[in-house]
Amino acid sequence: MKVGLVLEGGGMRGMYTAGVLDAFLDNDIKVDGIIGVSAGALFGVNYVSRQRGRALNYNTKYIKHPMYMGMKSLIKTGNIVNKEFAYYVLPQRLDVFNQEAFAKSNIEYYATVTNVDTYEAEYIKIENVFEQMEILRASSALPFVSKVVEVGDKKYLDGGISDSIPIKKCLEMNYDKIIVVLTRPIEYRKKERSKNYMYKMLYKKYGKLADLIFDRAKNYNSTIDYIKDLEMKKEIFVIRPSKTIKIGRLEKDVEKVKEIYNLGFSDTSEIISKLKSYLNTSNK
């Protein structure tokens, strides 16, 4: 039986996912493939490398570092999350990522990105985190506060623009069981934006990609409804926050980061028997 895992993004809301995945490690929950978006893609690699607590450790330790993320980095580099510090110095020197364990896991790992020229989502297999760091960076490169990430002859931005929760892509991969980790509670729906001056600014910079950005709410809400339908049919297993925790996308309050991580861990611990039952039940 093959198990697929879908990880939603959401900036520091992704610390909820980090808590979920650490609970997975504690309870020996195994999967065969993962598709992550943005923070989901960034934090999910630690589950594959079996580095329990790593996402919590480096975020709480460096969250207030002036060159980790914030306006100083945006003004100096054009990226609100600092490229050199967050994606290279930190995982290579300060809190070293275990690439050897990642490679030995045999878990197929995909990061979702948005192609700036085709306006479509691409799902790129990650085999070496260090060598493909620009793909992971692209998956979380937010419009306006990040530069377009160039990989070879392609240009990418945040995967959430084109596919916030890649459940349909995961279904195409023919997994027998699918787990979806969301970072918003069950009642959440995105509010649609009117195409105001901000849209015109986006269109001037990104062209037709601006349409995708402004259609995100409609597409996101439609995907959530689709997921709920699959969940009711017991075709997938969904883990989502049991309550709302107000946390900024680039939150710098360590206690809030710990709170949402702890919620992910406790929510998962409470339903772990149901998850195991789902994984052990035949689809036939």
Side-chain angles (χ1 to χ4, degrees):
M1 181 184 71
K2 292 184 66 178
V3 179
L5 175 62
V6 179
L7 304 177
E8 183 183 6
M12 293 308 289
R13 288 200 322 274
M15 289 306 299
Y16 178 85
T17 301
V20 171
L21 296 179
D22 281 352
F24 277 17
L25 289 174
D26 286 355
N27 289 277
D28 200 31
I29 300 298
K30 297 177 180 178
V31 303
D32 300 281
I34 299 174
I35 307 179
V37 182
S38 195
L42 293 176
F43 296 156
V45 295
N46 300 301
Y47 164 79
V48 181
S49 65
R50 302 191 68 82
Q51 289 176 278
R52 188 192 187 285
R54 181 174 178 268
L56 180 65
N57 291 339
Y58 74 71
N59 275 294
T60 53
K61 186 173 183 178
Y62 297 106
I63 199 170
K64 293 185 179 180
H65 191 289
M67 289 312 292
Y68 184 29
M69 61 183 181
M71 291 306 297
K72 184 174 181 179
S73 175
L74 180 61
I75 293 168
K76 188 174 181 178
T77 70
N79 293 303
I80 201 161
V81 177
N82 188 270
K83 172 183 174 179
E84 292 303 320
F85 184 86
Y87 294 97
Y88 292 94
V89 174
L90 199 159
Q92 291 182 6
R93 289 164 40 197
L94 300 178
D95 194 327
V96 179
F97 177 73
N98 191 338
Q99 169 57 35
E100 183 179 359
F102 181 89
K104 287 181 178 179
S105 71
N106 293 320
I107 295 174
E108 295 184 338
Y109 197 90
Y110 297 87
T112 307
V113 294
T114 300
N115 188 309
V116 172
D117 295 316
T118 66
Y119 322 120
E120 294 181 351
E122 292 184 14
Y123 312 91
I124 301 177
K125 190 174 183 179
I126 304 296
E127 296 178 320
N128 188 304
V129 167
F130 292 130
E131 292 177 2
Q132 295 177 278
M133 189 62 77
E134 288 301 280
I135 295 297
L136 291 168
R137 190 168 74 86
S139 185
S140 59
L142 297 169
F144 263 157
V145 292
S146 305
K147 292 181 178 178
V148 170
V149 179
E150 297 187 21
V151 181
D153 61 351
K154 293 186 176 183
K155 299 176 181 179
Y156 297 118
L157 278 173
D158 186 353
I161 297 170
S162 53
D163 195 352
S164 295
I165 312 168
I167 177 63
K168 292 181 179 178
K169 181 62 178 179
C170 194
L171 287 166
E172 289 175 5
M173 293 179 171
N174 295 317
Y175 291 107
D176 301 295
K177 300 285 183 175
I178 294 177
I179 307 166
V180 179
V181 180
L182 304 178
T183 57
R184 297 280 197 182
I186 193 167
E187 69 276 5
Y188 177 79
R189 293 294 183 276
K190 278 189 183 295
K191 294 181 180 179
E192 294 189 29
R193 300 176 181 178
S194 59
K195 292 187 176 181
N196 53 19
Y197 73 95
M198 181 65 75
Y199 172 79
K200 293 178 181 179
M201 291 173 66
L202 279 167
Y203 199 88
K204 185 176 181 180
K205 186 169 184 177
Y206 298 117
K208 291 184 178 179
L209 191 66
D211 292 329
L212 264 183
I213 295 170
F214 268 78
D215 285 340
R216 266 192 87 180
K218 179 177 66 176
N219 294 333
Y220 180 89
N221 295 340
S222 175
T223 300
I224 288 293
D225 290 339
Y226 181 63
I227 287 171
K228 285 186 68 177
D229 182 59
L230 292 174
E231 183 183 18
M232 288 181 66
K233 294 176 181 176
K234 301 186 184 302
E235 294 180 13
I236 63 173
F237 191 96
V238 182
I239 302 173
R240 56 170 68 82
S242 56
K243 64 179 180 180
T244 299
I245 293 179
K246 292 185 178 180
I247 185 168
R249 183 175 284 273
L250 300 175
E251 185 63 60
K252 293 205 172 191
D253 185 328
V254 172
E255 293 308 311
K256 283 189 177 181
V257 170
K258 290 180 179 178
E259 184 182 10
I260 197 162
Y261 167 88
N262 289 335
L263 182 65
F265 187 86
S266 62
D267 280 353
T268 306
S269 298
E270 288 181 8
I271 54 85
I272 203 70
S273 60
K274 292 181 180 179
L275 174 58
K276 288 181 177 180
S277 177
Y278 165 77
L279 294 176
N280 292 325
T281 302
S282 173
N283 289 336
K284 295 181 181 180

